[in-house]
Amino acid sequence: MIYTSTRQASAPVDAAAAIRAGAAPDGGLYMPAALPSLDIAAFDPAGSLAKTASAILTPFLAGSVLEADVGSMCAGAFDVPLPLVELENASGPVSVLELLHGPTGAFKDFGARFLFRCLDRIADAADPVTVLAATSGDTGGAVGCAAEGRANARAVILFPKGRISAFQEHQLCCWQAPVMALRVDDDFDACQAMVKQAFATPVLSARHGLTSANSISIGRLLPQVSYWAHASLQSQARTDQAAGLIIPSGNLGNALAALIARNLGFPIGPVVLATNANATLSDWARKGVFEPRASIATLANAMDVGAPSNFERLGALPDHAIHAVASISDEQIRATIARWHGETGYIACPHTATGLAAFDGLDTGPRRERPWIIAATAHPYKFADAVEPVIGETVALPDNLAGVLERPARMIDIKADLDALAAALSG
Ligand SMILES: *Cc1c(COP(=O)(O)O)cnc(C)c1O
């Protein structure tokens, strides 16, 4: 499989090179030059997610050093439960695909765990990689967790001191080597600026083999195709119909993965995007013009994105039709969490709630004519401050996150400058 840049000005590369690089040298994003043709009827809806993943990802990694290890990488990365929970008493046939049973309670666990298994095999002891990530929440935890125990790929995570929740800080700082958590005495923008400066400093970048794990990485995107494929097969086996998907979206990685699954021939009907008050995508759907802008802070903060980076990949897919985009305000998020909890008993995090609200907003016809699957992207426990006052009860600590809290945390405090980061990287 060959990967080309969305901007067509970089040389084509194999899967391993595309994954190691992150972005393409021309500033574009890597996409498979052509999609493989899969025999969909050969997939077993009752089989394991790891097996589905392995069958899908094998052709995507073909011809690279990763090809031989696809089965074992998938067995390790996809050993996470993936419940497709039917909700009773909703206003149409709807299920929630819970992508939140990974070790950090976020769907980003799927992408990060697969990416690090790839990087560990692409790099070697003589040429290790360092994933450098600035984080204000979810991604850093998933990246740290995925890097723990790797031999050739380490993670260095920068986060702003005093600006994230105690649970989030713990979730960034509780992972063993080769994970380093750097607590920066400044805000998130300063952390991000330090990471950018490090990437732009050739000696530093070369010495440590710097790479990024943000959502432009094709190594995070491809594994996410697996759970959409798996859920669509399961839903079709239950209902004999192709499900519509509703996807809480920020950088559009999850949605891109769903569209890739549909292009591969999996039984997926209309795709609906849900965003928070960051309305770049809903404005685009309405006006036909894509206008990236600065992000605004919302309750669904992992989706606070004004310039969705994966938008650039849409045009590279033969079928990239999007049925609708719903932009959901914080007020609607609160009301939706309360109402769905009251009517169906389901407790949603603020991100998932944008998906529930998008379902509410569908016209009655489309809402009732087919099964719908809404992605649940984070565990509500992590957003208890927002959720508990709205539902009037406490959210129980799930087992996957209880394990995190039992671990000791360690971090290194650094000043917000490049010298301090360079010293930490070498230390
Ligand atoms: C990252 C994230 C999203 C948005 O996913 P994209 O792939 O960036 O569109 C939604 N919900 C949660 C909880 C997330 O962490």
Side-chain angles (χ1 to χ4, degrees):
M1 175 71 71
I2 291 298
Y3 290 78
T4 54
S5 165
T6 48
R7 298 189 190 169
Q8 309 296 343
S10 299
V13 295
D14 74 359
I19 290 171
R20 173 150 195 171
D26 64 4
L29 309 183
Y30 283 118
M31 278 294 274
L35 292 178
S37 75
L38 300 177
D39 177 8
I40 304 301
F43 283 83
D44 177 7
S48 73
L49 173 62
K51 239 180 127 188
T52 301
S54 177
I56 293 171
L57 295 172
T58 296
F60 282 100
L61 302 184
S64 78
V65 298
L66 299 168
E67 184 174 5
D69 288 341
V70 183
S72 59
M73 290 196 295
C74 288
F78 293 97
D79 65 345
V80 170
L82 183 69
L84 182 60
V85 183
E86 282 176 60
L87 299 188
E88 311 261 319
N89 302 320
S91 60
V94 65
S95 303
V96 171
L97 181 64
E98 293 193 335
L99 303 172
L100 46 79
H101 295 283
T104 75
F107 88 93
K108 291 190 172 72
D109 284 323
F110 286 101
R113 295 174 91 215
F114 188 78
L115 172 66
F116 267 90
R117 281 166 172 78
C118 292
L119 290 174
D120 211 11
R121 286 164 173 82
I122 294 166
D124 56 45
D127 182 22
V129 300
T130 299
V131 169
L132 189 60
T135 184
S136 55
D138 256 14
T139 306
V143 163
C145 173
E148 189 177 79
R150 303 281 140 215
N152 306 318
R154 67 170 172 161
V156 177
I157 302 161
L158 285 74
F159 67 97
K161 182 176 179 175
R163 298 178 203 236
I164 64 176
S165 74
F167 180 82
Q168 275 178 327
E169 177 164 315
H170 193 86
Q171 200 179 40
L172 294 176
C173 299
C174 70
W175 310 108
Q176 306 286 320
V179 183
M180 190 189 280
L182 302 177
R183 184 163 64 180
V184 178
D185 193 11
D186 208 326
D187 61 12
F188 174 64
D189 290 341
C191 296
Q192 242 183 345
M194 288 163 72
V195 167
K196 274 199 184 139
Q197 265 183 296
F199 281 122
T201 307
V203 297
L204 214 55
S205 184
R207 182 180 309 146
H208 300 292
L210 297 184
T211 187
S212 87
N214 60 21
S215 66
I216 59 165
S217 169
I218 192 80
R220 262 180 68 178
L221 190 58
L222 293 175
Q224 297 182 160
V225 176
S226 314
Y227 54 69
W228 286 121
H230 200 64
S232 73
L233 292 170
Q234 254 184 327
S235 178
Q236 195 188 41
R238 281 183 198 172
T239 65
D240 241 359
Q241 273 182 294
L245 308 182
I246 302 181
I247 309 176
S249 295
N251 269 319
L252 273 183
N254 209 0
L256 236 294
L259 292 172
I260 292 175
R262 191 171 71 186
N263 277 270
L264 290 172
F266 288 98
I268 293 171
V271 170
V272 172
L273 308 183
T275 71
N276 55 28
N278 288 278
T280 307
L281 291 168
S282 51
D283 286 354
W284 161 72
R286 203 159 37 82
K287 297 193 279 188
V289 191
F290 182 68
E291 296 169 323
R293 59 199 76 162
S295 67
I296 53 178
T298 75
L299 282 177
N301 58 19
M303 292 162 39
D304 289 348
V305 176
S309 47
N310 280 298
F311 186 83
E312 189 167 337
R313 283 191 162 115
L314 273 184
L317 287 176
D319 160 22
H320 51 262
I322 286 172
H323 178 77
V325 185
S327 169
I328 310 298
S329 68
D330 278 358
E331 199 181 325
Q332 285 173 290
I333 287 175
R334 284 198 194 88
T336 302
I337 293 172
R339 199 161 63 73
W340 282 68
H341 176 246
E343 289 173 4
T344 71
Y346 198 77
I347 303 179
C349 86
H351 311 82
T352 305
T354 66
L356 302 178
F359 177 77
D360 289 332
L362 291 174
D363 290 338
T364 314
R367 178 149 36 88
R368 297 207 174 135
E369 78 193 5
R370 64 171 67 247
W372 288 90
I373 298 174
I374 303 173
T377 53
H379 197 284
Y381 178 84
K382 298 204 296 179
F383 299 89
D385 290 354
V387 173
E388 288 177 349
V390 170
I391 61 170
E393 46 182 90
T394 54
V395 181
L397 175 64
D399 290 346
N400 50 339
L401 299 182
V404 164
L405 285 176
E406 280 162 17
R407 291 164 153 255
R410 19 176 219 120
M411 77 282 286
I412 299 169
D413 282 299
I414 68 168
K415 282 195 305 185
D417 65 49
L418 188 61
D419 288 344
L421 175 56
L425 281 168
S426 300

